[in-house]
Amino acid sequence: MLVLDGKIASAAVKASLLEQTTALKAAGKRTPHLAAILVGTNGASETYVASKVKNCEETGFGSSLYRFEDTVSEAALLAQIEVLNQDTNVDGILVQLPLPKHIDDAKVIEAIDPKKDVDGFHPANVGRLVQGLNTFIPATPYGVMLMLAHFNIETKGKRAVVIGRSNIVGRPMSILLSAEHPQGNCTVTCCHRYTPKEDLIDLCSKADIIVVAVGIPDFVDASMIKPGAVIIDVGITRVIDPTAAKGFRIKGDVNYASAITVASAVTPVPGGVGLMTIAGLLKNTMKAYQGL
Ligand code: GUN
């Protein structure tokens, strides 16, 4: 059983990026700069954004964080995005989701210059992804592709099941796995909340690769896994645990202890896909700096 260790795979991506920023600095050039916008005080969002900023520092990137109260108006947010769109020292812009209910996510995403849209959420970039054109791949599915590449996981001709169809993970993941690409060329089935449970079990038990992103701890276990399958766990649910230092633990969508008894490779949580998401974001920011 191979542990698809995100620490190892992300360290390789970050080392390569650090080499590039070190060379840029040595040549007297500026390095890539990521601007992050965080609205409100959602604990998970705070942690993710802090980690993104820290990883920028570790890789020699510049970063700036714009914080807003959760009462901020949509207009104020759009105005900040426009300032960042015009700022030639800013290469990548990300607005951490979710946003408060009074703000229209779609409007905010569409306000970002597609050339600075390092999350790859802008409809222009999603369209480019669907058509197999050069674009920003959303960070989490990008991270999964980088993970598959790092560990030389064969995907061509394999049956892949993606569970979840969100714009952030499931939808782009299913497009990428079916695309003409070294980590693509799979036959992909995308399952979602209306997939009957018996169909889900049947499809999963025939799948060579399962990617699960539903946010339900232990959603997938050994009973649904074909012997030798590759299991990618995108879940990161906080569950209350008074014995943990922070009062909670992070749980994936896969019952890891059960899955490793049948799978050939599994991503751990934490320490798996989460770290690769950051690697994907950093690569996108370098790409924005170089010009899409
Ligand atoms: N919220 C959960 N995942 C993401 C992500 O990849 N990007 C942004 N901006 N927000 C998120």
Side-chain angles (χ1 to χ4, degrees):
M1 217 292 298
L2 172 67
V3 178
L4 299 172
D5 189 332
K7 283 196 267 326
I8 294 171
S10 68
V13 172
K14 283 170 64 181
S16 152
L17 290 169
L18 181 59
E19 222 171 86
Q20 292 177 64
T21 55
T22 305
L24 286 169
K25 284 179 186 169
K29 298 195 173 125
R30 74 172 186 90
T31 62
H33 188 106
L34 175 71
I37 297 180
L38 175 61
V39 180
T41 53
N42 176 293
S45 290
E46 296 245 10
T47 306
Y48 300 148
V49 171
S51 177
K52 288 169 184 178
V53 168
K54 178 167 160 272
N55 275 272
C56 278
E57 278 165 25
E58 288 169 2
T59 341
F61 288 27
S63 66
S64 39
L65 174 58
Y66 297 85
R67 297 196 64 137
F68 291 91
E69 303 273 327
D70 55 11
T71 51
V72 67
S73 69
E74 189 177 273
L77 213 50
L78 295 174
Q80 180 64 67
I81 290 170
E82 191 46 30
V83 168
L84 297 170
N85 281 343
Q86 299 303 329
D87 187 340
T88 51
N89 286 314
V90 169
D91 304 288
I93 303 169
L94 84 80
V95 180
Q96 189 65 26
L97 302 176
L99 290 170
K101 291 221 174 351
H102 68 279
I103 296 174
D104 181 347
D105 290 13
K107 216 165 161 185
V108 167
I109 289 166
E110 285 188 47
I112 298 171
D113 179 345
K115 291 194 162 46
K116 296 189 177 190
D117 168 39
V118 286
D119 264 325
F121 294 163
H122 192 289
N125 286 324
V126 178
R128 295 181 67 83
L129 182 78
V130 171
Q131 295 193 346
L133 301 173
N134 184 33
T135 188
F136 297 111
I137 302 170
T140 299
Y142 191 13
V144 172
M145 300 308 264
L146 293 169
M147 172 86 94
L148 295 172
H150 184 87
F151 290 103
N152 288 312
I153 304 289
E154 178 63 75
T155 57
K156 191 157 87 185
K158 304 288 184 191
R159 290 178 181 162
V161 167
V162 176
I163 314 175
R165 58 178 174 182
S166 70
N167 288 341
I168 295 180
V169 185
R171 182 75 64 210
M173 190 78 251
S174 55
I175 291 163
L176 286 165
L177 285 171
S178 68
E180 176 77 52
H181 184 271
Q183 281 71 49
N185 298 312
C186 290
T187 305
V188 180
T189 309
C190 183
C191 299
H192 45 75
R193 69 178 74 243
Y194 297 108
T195 306
K197 185 78 183 176
E198 61 270 25
D199 288 358
L200 182 71
I201 291 168
D202 183 52
L203 290 161
C204 283
S205 58
K206 290 177 183 144
D208 303 301
I209 299 166
I210 299 175
V211 181
V212 55
V214 292
I216 302 172
D218 300 333
F219 189 77
V220 168
D221 64 20
S223 70
M224 300 162 72
I225 299 173
K226 182 171 108 168
V230 173
I231 310 299
I232 309 291
D233 186 352
V234 186
I236 33 167
T237 305
R238 289 181 171 199
V239 293
I240 292 165
D241 179 356
T243 66
K246 291 180 178 161
F248 65 86
R249 265 184 317 130
I250 302 291
K251 288 209 72 171
D253 291 348
V254 175
N255 184 322
Y256 186 81
S258 165
I260 59 173
T261 63
V262 280
S264 66
V266 184
T267 60
V269 175
V273 173
L275 299 172
M276 298 312 295
T277 295
I278 305 245
L281 174 70
L282 293 171
K283 275 186 75 89
N284 277 343
T285 306
M286 177 57 89
K287 188 173 196 169
Y289 171 86
Q290 291 167 334
L292 180 61

